[in-house]
């Protein structure tokens, strides 16, 4: 747990350091970005917080046959030269060991801080919060989600870029029956294209 | 900006609270995912308890059928452990497998009426060549020497195995005969192994105008029998009939149509209790009215293979006459007590309902898709009954629950019960 904290803290510090190096910002208030994302998510852990002591399973024990794949639309409108707000709507799916479909539909509000924003490169740091619709066999549930991610955009024209993001997705599956409550996490590896204007 | 944030938060909160009400499963989605099994993984299908022929409080063996074959467990095998990893009789086994040769898939297990724990501990297995019901082959297996397997012949003129009694330690069977007329022809009686043959001792012969798929008898005297009739697999399409041996008549139980009944407890005066797929309990009375009750705990069950213990040593009127068990959607099982008697219309069950869910998550995360439940009542001493529940989860194997009391409110708490995982544990 300490290692994780240290890892994210070092990323944040590194990004803020970079922002001082590249003080120039490409964007202005009112600009927008639209991204088409192909997320590959690695299931990382599930912790049952409803029992004492808390029990945790990781990776292969979580029951997925493979990684989670999907497609997402990500839109952001700049409110200043370094900050944009927007959201994500998408569809992700995976199969369990028995090849039953697990689906989730994320609907997130997203805040992006651009530590680096130049003509050719961008390094955003993003925080997303929202809900997911989970569906698995006959079960369905709305699950709150917290997303922390960072990455880069590399522009090959003024408007089009290839993008990559990674970070962590946290899901809180909460029920009235507290024994079922759990927090799960995936590490996303997101590839996409971004259009900016 | 602030308004937008408030709006989004409100929408999120609405959806969360709305779907949080969807508590139809006792496990979460992540728990269910984690307990998923590979498609080609083992599936535990059904269990058969072979009681001791001279002492019904003892169990000689438990036979468990899985998709890969049949597992025979007795006291010695139980003590050795690891008996659930490899079938004793493997489906479609060849010589080279080192198994005893069985042609086809083992479909069912039968305990013949001449089964004798000490001198003739032979059971019958029925094998089919594929998943579909195809002509069967029958074998006898000596439980004292499992390598002693012999093919049996069933005379075509007797008909074919149609249904076996679901009553504990009963060995009645229904045979269906081919008939050229419009009427069907069935015989109910006991079957025995006679050398290389299966012979049949007929007790009742009936010729209804409907096809019968299952039967529930009141006792060895077969005074009253409830018959279920279905044109297909849909349990909701079943019709139910009561047969009276004395008058040789069929009474169609119209009011039960579409109730999807899974189990009957038939009393010797012809009245009965019925347990529905949805967990409802129905009591018939002599005036042909029915008292129906259902419990919200059961309301979301799909298939509840309900079994029950009968309270034979009732100490007070507050104790239920029956305590029955059903599948709890998601995991575990539910215990439900019921105090309705034949002469008393009051229902006393409210204090007794409760559930026991299997414990644990990370270590033994289990979404119990329960394929079979067997209630086994064993008298461990003169006045001391042990109530044992054999629970077969299709994916997660076997558990045995031991209860020192059959009062549901005492069973509910694990202070009175012991769960023994991956063990049959019925041999006292």
């Amino acid at each position: 747990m300490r290692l994780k904290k240290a890892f994210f803290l070092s990323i944040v510090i590194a990004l803020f350091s970079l922002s001082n190096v590249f003080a120039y910002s490409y964007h202005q208030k009112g600009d927008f970005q639209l991204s088409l994302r192909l997320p590959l998510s690695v299931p990382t852990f599930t912790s049952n917080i409803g029992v004492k002591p808390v029990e945790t399973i990781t990776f292969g024990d979580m029951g997925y046959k493979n990684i989670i794949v999907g497609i997402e639309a990500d839109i952001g409108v700049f409110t200043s030269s370094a900050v944009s707000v927007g959201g994500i709507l998408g569809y992700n799916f995976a199969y369990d060991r028995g090849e039953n479909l697990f689906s989730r539909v994320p609907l997130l509000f997203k805040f992006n801080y651009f530590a680096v924003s130049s003509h050719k490169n961008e390094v955003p740091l993003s925080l997303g919060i929202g809900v997911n619709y989970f569906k698995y066999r006959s079960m369905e549930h709305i699950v709150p989600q917290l997303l922390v991610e960072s990455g880069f955009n590399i522009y090959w024209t003024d408007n089009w870029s290839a993008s990559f993001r990674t970070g962590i997705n946290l899901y809180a599956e909460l029920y009235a029956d507290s024994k079922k409550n759990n927090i799960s996490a995936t590490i996303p590896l997101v590839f996409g294209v971004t259009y900016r204007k | 900006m602030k308004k937008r944030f408030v709006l989004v938060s409100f929408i999120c909160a609405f959806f969360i609270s709305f779907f949080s009400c969807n508590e139809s499963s006792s496990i979460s989605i992540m728990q269910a995912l984690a307990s998923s099994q590979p498609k080609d993984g083992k599936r535990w299908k059904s269990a058969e308890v072979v009681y001791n022929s001279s002492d019904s409080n003892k169990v000689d063996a438990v036979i468990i059928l899985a998709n890969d074959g049949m597992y025979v467990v007795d006291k010695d095998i139980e003590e050795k452990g690891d008996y659930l990893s490899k079938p004793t009789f493997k489906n479609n086994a060849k010589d080279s497998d080192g198994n005893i040769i069985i042609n086809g898939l083992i479909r069912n297990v039968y305990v013949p009426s001449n089964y004798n724990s000490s001198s003739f501990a032979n059971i019958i297995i029925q094998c089919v060549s594929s998943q579909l019901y195809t002509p069967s082959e029958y074998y006898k297996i000596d439980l004292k020497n499992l390598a002693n397997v012999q093919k049996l012949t069933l005379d075509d003129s007797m008909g074919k195995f149609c249904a076996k009694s679901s009553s504990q330690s009963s060995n009645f069977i229904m045979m269906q005969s081919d008939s050229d007329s419009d009427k069907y022809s069935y015989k109910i009686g006991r079957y025995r192994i006679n050398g290389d043959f299966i012979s049949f001792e007929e007790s009742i012969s009936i010729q209804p105008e409907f096809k019968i798929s299952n039967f529930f008898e009141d006792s060895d005297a077969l005074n009253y029998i409830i018959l279920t009739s279905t044109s297909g697999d849909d349990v909701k399409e079943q019709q139910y009939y009561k047969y009276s041996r004395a008058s040789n008549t069929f009474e169609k139980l119209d009011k039960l149509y579409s109730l999807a009944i899974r189990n009957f407890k038939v009393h010797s005066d012809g009245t009965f209790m019925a347990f529905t797929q949805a967990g409802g309990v129905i009591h018939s009375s002599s005036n042909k009215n029915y008292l129906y009750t259902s419990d919200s705990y059961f309301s979301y069950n799909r298939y509840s293979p309900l079994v029950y213990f009968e309270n034979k040593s009732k100490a007070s009127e507050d104790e239920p006459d029956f305590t029955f068990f059903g599948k709890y959607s998601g995991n575990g099982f539910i215990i439900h007590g019921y105090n309705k008697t034949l002469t008393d219309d009051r229902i006393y069950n409210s204090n007794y309902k409760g559930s026991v869910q299997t414990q644990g998550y990370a270590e033994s995360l289990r979404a119990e898709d329960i394929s079979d439940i067997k209630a086994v009542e064993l008298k461990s001493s003169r006045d001391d009954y042990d109530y044992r529940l054999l629970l077969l989860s299709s994916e997660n194997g076997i558990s045995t629950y031991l209860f020192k009391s059959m009062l549901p409110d005492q069973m509910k708490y694990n202070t009175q019960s012991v769960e023994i995982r991956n063990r049959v544990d019925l041999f006292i």
Side-chain angles (χ1 to χ4, degrees), chain A residues 184-197:
Chain A
S184 59
T186 61
I187 292 178
L189 303 169
V190 186
F191 301 90
V193 289
T194 300
Y195 175 79
R196 71 181 176 188
K197 184 138 177 99

Side-chain angles (χ1 to χ4, degrees), chain A residues 46 48 97 140 173 176 180, chain B residues 19 22-23 25 29 34 36 361:
Chain A
T46 300
N48 188 358
R97 298 186 190 104
E140 53 189 2
E173 195 183 342
K180 295 155 66 175
Chain B
F19 278 95
N22 178 21
E23 300 269 349
S25 174
I29 289 175
S36 65
Y361 169 46

Side-chain angles (χ1 to χ4, degrees), chain B residues 152-216:
Chain B
L152 297 172
T153 303
L154 178 63
D155 189 349
D156 287 344
S157 63
M158 290 197 301
K160 59 186 179 186
F161 279 31
C162 169
K164 65 176 177 177
S165 170
S166 58
S167 299
Q168 180 171 306
S169 68
S170 164
N171 47 23
F172 281 113
I173 199 161
M174 180 179 279
M175 308 285 279
Q176 183 180 3
S177 301
D178 291 329
S179 173
D180 294 332
S181 67
D182 291 338
K183 287 192 173 181
Y184 294 92
S185 180
Y186 296 92
K187 297 167 190 167
I188 296 175
R190 292 200 162 95
Y191 50 99
R192 53 189 289 130
I193 298 170
N194 190 3
D196 296 343
F197 292 86
I198 300 173
S199 60
F200 179 68
E201 305 151 50
E202 179 185 313
S203 298
I204 280 183
S205 176
I206 51 178
Q207 287 82 41
E209 292 174 352
F210 47 85
K211 189 178 177 184
I212 298 172
S213 59
N214 213 349
F215 74 102
F216 303 86

Side-chain angles (χ1 to χ4, degrees), chain A residues 1 20 36 44 57 62 68 124-126 160 162 167 193 196:
Chain A
M1 206 58 197
N20 293 328
L36 182 67
T44 310
I57 49 175
M62 293 171 70
I68 305 162
L125 181 65
S126 304
W160 289 95
V193 289
R196 71 181 176 188

Side-chain angles (χ1 to χ4, degrees), chain B residues 174-360:
Chain B
M174 180 179 279
M175 308 285 279
Q176 183 180 3
S177 301
D178 291 329
S179 173
D180 294 332
S181 67
D182 291 338
K183 287 192 173 181
Y184 294 92
S185 180
Y186 296 92
K187 297 167 190 167
I188 296 175
R190 292 200 162 95
Y191 50 99
R192 53 189 289 130
I193 298 170
N194 190 3
D196 296 343
F197 292 86
I198 300 173
S199 60
F200 179 68
E201 305 151 50
E202 179 185 313
S203 298
I204 280 183
S205 176
I206 51 178
Q207 287 82 41
E209 292 174 352
F210 47 85
K211 189 178 177 184
I212 298 172
S213 59
N214 213 349
F215 74 102
F216 303 86
E217 79 277 16
D218 63 332
S219 66
D220 285 0
L222 299 170
N223 291 316
Y224 290 94
I225 306 163
I226 302 286
L227 306 163
T228 62
S229 171
T230 181
S231 54
D233 291 335
D234 187 355
V235 72
K236 287 187 177 176
E237 294 297 318
Q238 283 184 167
Q239 284 285 6
Y240 309 95
Y241 298 83
K242 185 165 76 178
Y243 174 75
S244 164
R245 186 180 199 177
S247 60
N248 189 26
T249 53
F250 297 96
E251 178 196 339
K252 191 173 185 180
L253 307 172
D254 280 334
K255 290 181 181 176
L256 303 185
Y257 181 68
S258 83
L259 284 176
I261 295 168
R262 287 291 188 183
N263 202 355
F264 285 91
K265 163 73 177 169
V266 186
H267 305 295
S268 55
D269 63 352
T271 57
F272 57 84
M273 289 173 77
F275 306 103
T276 71
Q277 177 170 282
V281 180
I282 299 162
H283 290 270
S284 75
S285 61
S286 53
N287 60 6
K288 296 187 181 179
N289 286 324
Y290 298 105
L291 181 64
Y292 181 84
T293 182
S294 62
D295 188 276
S296 58
Y297 268 110
F298 283 129
S299 61
Y300 37 73
N301 282 357
R302 292 291 174 89
Y303 172 47
S304 300
L306 287 163
V307 295
Y308 55 85
F309 289 118
E310 190 169 354
N311 195 347
K312 292 174 182 167
S313 52
K314 195 170 168 180
S316 78
E317 282 303 306
D318 292 332
E319 293 185 11
D321 291 330
F322 293 93
T323 297
F324 54 90
F325 298 82
K327 168 186 172 180
Y328 187 53
S329 180
N331 74 339
F333 56 91
I334 187 165
I335 300 170
H336 191 103
Y338 203 85
N339 210 37
K340 172 74 175 57
T341 66
L342 295 173
T343 55
D344 184 350
D345 280 343
R346 288 174 296 172
I347 301 167
Y348 298 89
N349 67 343
S350 59
N351 291 328
Y352 296 113
K353 65 190 177 189
S355 64
V356 173
Q357 294 180 45
T358 47
Q359 297 295 308

